[in-house]
Amino acid sequence: MKKIIKHINIRNSVAFMMIGLTLTVSSCKKFTDLVPNNSFAEEEAFTTPDRVAQAVTGVYSAAQAGAYTDGTNRGYPFGAANTEQQDARGEDVIAVPSFYLITYETTNATNSPNGTAMWETLYALINRANVVIEGVQGAAAKNVITADLAKQYEGEARFLRALAHHELLIHFARPYGHTAGATHPGVPYRTLPVNTPERVTQNNNQGRNTVKDCYDKILEDLNYAESNLPPTYSSASLKITHATRGAAIAIKTRIYLHMNNWAKVVEEGNKIVSLTAPFKSTVGSYELASSPDAAFAQNYGTNESIFSIENNTNRNSGTNGAISTMYSKAPGRGLIAISPIIWNAPFWKANDLRRTLLANSDASSTVAARAYFSNKYRDPATFTDANPIIRYSEVLLNLAEALSRTNSLDLRALALLNAVRNRAITNVADQYTIANFATPNSLVQAILDERRIEFLAEGHRWGDIHRLATDATFTTGGIPAKVSFAGTTFASWNASTPYTGARSVVAIPYADYRFVWPIPLSETTNNPTLKAQQNPTW
């Protein structure tokens, strides 16, 4: 009897491959795929080149929209939710009641929807990637597709598998530097599809790999992707929304930064960043846009965008999850505001163009302003803003940080920092020279400060808090204290005066068990191994 693969059940991370018109979850609510197609029997899914291509598209579909715990599309894991949840874990935004308060105030439980949905949809994505990897290998063996095309498709799937495992690590595990050799518990690194009863059993008993083992496997996947992905695609949108050689290298600079492996950040960064300004890339033709808002004004249409997740009018996270409606003032819902902690920070110059081009207040002719909101995502009506996973500016700042950590005051590091910063700081007197820095650490601090400004509302702050938590010089000490929206007035936002108001959402020390999320109850109920390996105290 043929087994028709039409459903993906994300409960317990036991997810079966779906290549079909709808992605159906246990609640029976449905939403359409990016590319609608027919449902195939599993053994037929990789029998023609077209079906193989559709299967690969399905992996991107799973990255854009798994299902929230109520079965709806809220952009989990990478359509929007990774950005929203990571930002809400940090102090540079404010959760405007009520969507993100659990994340913002770190009042998680083992059955909290935010953590549960991230875990389940990330592993659903991983499983779909694993099904495709196995499927394209079989298709190549049967001469359905060429060996080279099979390797490209596998590279795309392994790129997304690596991205998903890293997202799991920064939420559910302590950072790489927590123990010598990173021997502490990471997450289960899953490389086999769960598509037989035997594999279901194996999945439901798999334990946690060490953090080191997870990072080694992430790099193995990304190295394979780099070796087998094309440098670009002919379609303008595909070269941003599908994995490329440059995207694999770019993500590796991020991974090595989390490992504190500065030499490898430099090695990878040098593959796609020229030695001198204006720092154009020979791989993927990446370059900074002349204006700090161009990558957002043109959605994903500039050479600054390296990899983004597509949202479109037919498949998006809607009013309850879309990145535009969450971050934007009316007609968006404005549920994530910019915090006065970062808005008033002395290192963020009052004349920085990002204050006017990429942020605005919610004042109108009839309503007084209550806060400042991001203006990076500009389609709160039809929710088509792409979710930027990595931009070229991040690669430049990753490389700048690594250079400044390994050398004396490094002129190339300064030039990389200035390349990003000076397109927003046009007053020459406010632009950095080497004389502004007395020590290498002061340059590192400037780079870290720049990251907070440049990537505000892009979901990067938690990643930096996480990786720096064990840094002897630059640690935040844990989760910083935050501002409660109820305790602010519009006067709280003042670019000329550091914020001195109340931070009533108290800081959480790194040693506190709440620094990491618990493995969800939906997983530990069915996996006795992970139940015994739950993060302490949860």
Side-chain angles (χ1 to χ4, degrees), residues 36-358:
N37 47 275
N38 294 323
S39 298
F40 306 131
E42 183 179 8
E43 56 268 36
E44 297 173 359
F46 298 93
T47 56
T48 71
D50 182 61
R51 291 181 178 182
V52 175
Q54 290 176 14
V56 176
T57 297
V59 188
Y60 291 98
S61 178
Q64 189 266 349
Y68 191 62
T69 53
D70 64 359
T72 60
N73 175 0
R74 294 195 184 180
Y76 284 82
F78 291 115
N82 69 302
T83 295
E84 295 155 357
Q85 295 294 345
Q86 282 208 45
D87 271 342
R89 295 196 74 178
E91 81 280 33
D92 287 344
V93 303
I94 302 180
V96 180
S98 58
F99 267 33
Y100 298 99
L101 283 183
I102 289 176
T103 301
Y104 189 69
E105 297 178 349
T106 318
T107 56
N108 308 69
T110 57
N111 62 346
S112 293
N114 50 343
T116 299
M118 288 302 294
W119 179 279
E120 291 181 345
T121 59
L122 285 164
Y123 275 115
L125 164 59
I126 289 164
N127 190 67
R128 190 178 291 200
N130 289 336
V131 169
V132 164
I133 291 167
E134 188 172 85
V136 299
Q137 290 173 348
K142 296 176 183 177
N143 295 318
V144 174
I145 57 176
T146 67
D148 286 345
L149 185 57
K151 289 177 180 178
Q152 176 192 315
Y153 286 160
E154 181 175 346
E156 293 180 70
R158 291 178 73 162
F159 173 88
L160 292 167
R161 182 171 77 181
L163 199 67
H165 279 108
H166 190 247
E167 193 72 17
L168 286 159
L169 283 170
I170 63 173
H171 287 301
F172 297 98
R174 296 276 173 172
Y176 195 90
H178 181 67
T179 60
T183 57
H184 54 289
V187 296
Y189 205 98
R190 292 176 174 159
T191 58
L192 293 175
V194 184
N195 54 5
T196 68
E198 293 77 17
R199 285 178 173 174
V200 169
T201 300
Q202 180 180 351
N203 181 85
N204 280 349
N205 289 279
Q206 183 179 352
R208 301 171 74 165
N209 295 73
T210 67
V211 166
K212 181 183 185 304
D213 192 29
C214 287
Y215 273 86
D216 287 346
K217 291 179 183 297
I218 286 170
L219 289 168
E220 182 181 332
D221 278 344
L222 292 174
N223 286 334
Y224 183 93
E226 178 190 355
S227 297
N228 293 284
L229 290 176
T232 190
Y233 297 91
S234 57
S235 165
S237 63
L238 285 184
K239 74 177 185 179
I240 306 299
T241 62
H242 279 56
T244 59
R245 184 180 307 157
I249 297 168
I251 293 295
K252 280 200 286 181
T253 70
R254 179 188 294 175
I255 298 303
Y256 281 121
L257 205 68
H258 277 260
M259 297 171 69
N260 305 321
N261 192 333
W262 319 123
K264 292 296 287 186
V265 175
V266 173
E267 179 183 325
E268 296 296 332
N270 282 341
K271 293 178 181 178
I272 56 173
V273 179
S274 61
L275 291 175
T276 58
F279 302 118
K280 293 185 178 181
S281 174
T282 58
V283 178
S285 301
Y286 307 120
E287 60 181 323
L288 291 176
S290 58
S291 172
D293 75 324
F296 303 95
Q298 298 179 43
N299 209 349
Y300 41 83
T302 72
N303 287 338
E304 184 170 333
S305 299
I306 295 179
F307 180 70
S308 299
I309 295 292
E310 178 184 0
N311 293 292
N312 62 40
T313 54
N314 294 319
R315 187 175 174 86
N316 57 67
S317 311
T319 58
N320 288 332
I323 198 166
S324 52
T325 195
M326 294 295 104
Y327 285 93
S328 301
K329 68 173 189 175
R333 298 183 66 182
L335 296 182
I336 301 177
I338 297 170
S339 173
I341 292 174
I342 183 64
W343 187 263
N344 302 8
F347 56 79
W348 193 359
K349 294 292 184 181
N351 58 2
D352 190 312
L353 294 179
R354 288 167 292 193
R355 291 185 181 275
T356 52
L357 294 175
L358 292 171

Side-chain angles (χ1 to χ4, degrees), residues 333-417:
R333 298 183 66 182
L335 296 182
I336 301 177
I338 297 170
S339 173
I341 292 174
I342 183 64
W343 187 263
N344 302 8
F347 56 79
W348 193 359
K349 294 292 184 181
N351 58 2
D352 190 312
L353 294 179
R354 288 167 292 193
R355 291 185 181 275
T356 52
L357 294 175
L358 292 171
N360 48 37
S361 76
D362 59 340
S364 70
S365 59
T366 58
V367 177
R370 56 177 180 153
Y372 278 95
F373 292 85
S374 175
N375 189 38
K376 288 184 173 179
Y377 312 110
R378 303 178 181 187
D379 185 18
T382 58
F383 323 118
T384 61
D385 294 278
N387 185 19
I389 302 301
I390 190 162
R391 295 190 287 122
Y392 195 49
S393 56
E394 181 187 341
V395 178
L396 299 191
L397 292 179
N398 290 350
L399 180 54
E401 181 180 339
L403 287 167
S404 62
R405 285 198 185 248
T406 53
N407 299 310
S408 58
L409 287 171
D410 190 279
L411 292 177
R412 186 177 179 221
L414 175 61
L416 290 162
L417 169 60

Side-chain angles (χ1 to χ4, degrees), residues 24-42:
T24 308
V25 295
S26 56
S27 70
C28 296
K29 296 185 179 181
K30 300 180 180 181
F31 44 90
T32 60
D33 264 344
L34 284 168
V35 180
N37 47 275
N38 294 323
S39 298
F40 306 131
E42 183 179 8

Side-chain angles (χ1 to χ4, degrees), residues 426-439:
T426 57
N427 184 358
V428 174
D430 293 325
Q431 295 176 348
Y432 289 139
T433 69
I434 201 67
N436 291 110
F437 304 102
T439 65

Side-chain angles (χ1 to χ4, degrees), residues 415-473:
L416 290 162
L417 169 60
N418 282 338
V420 176
R421 184 175 183 269
N422 287 355
R423 57 186 182 163
I425 302 294
T426 57
N427 184 358
V428 174
D430 293 325
Q431 295 176 348
Y432 289 139
T433 69
I434 201 67
N436 291 110
F437 304 102
T439 65
N441 279 348
S442 63
L443 179 54
V444 173
Q445 186 62 63
I447 294 165
L448 295 176
D449 292 342
E450 182 65 19
R451 292 177 68 89
R452 291 175 65 183
I453 302 168
E454 177 67 13
F455 305 127
L456 181 62
E458 292 183 57
H460 284 40
R461 181 57 180 154
W462 175 250
D464 281 344
I465 291 171
H466 187 268
R467 72 179 175 93
L468 295 170
T470 57
D471 191 291
T473 305

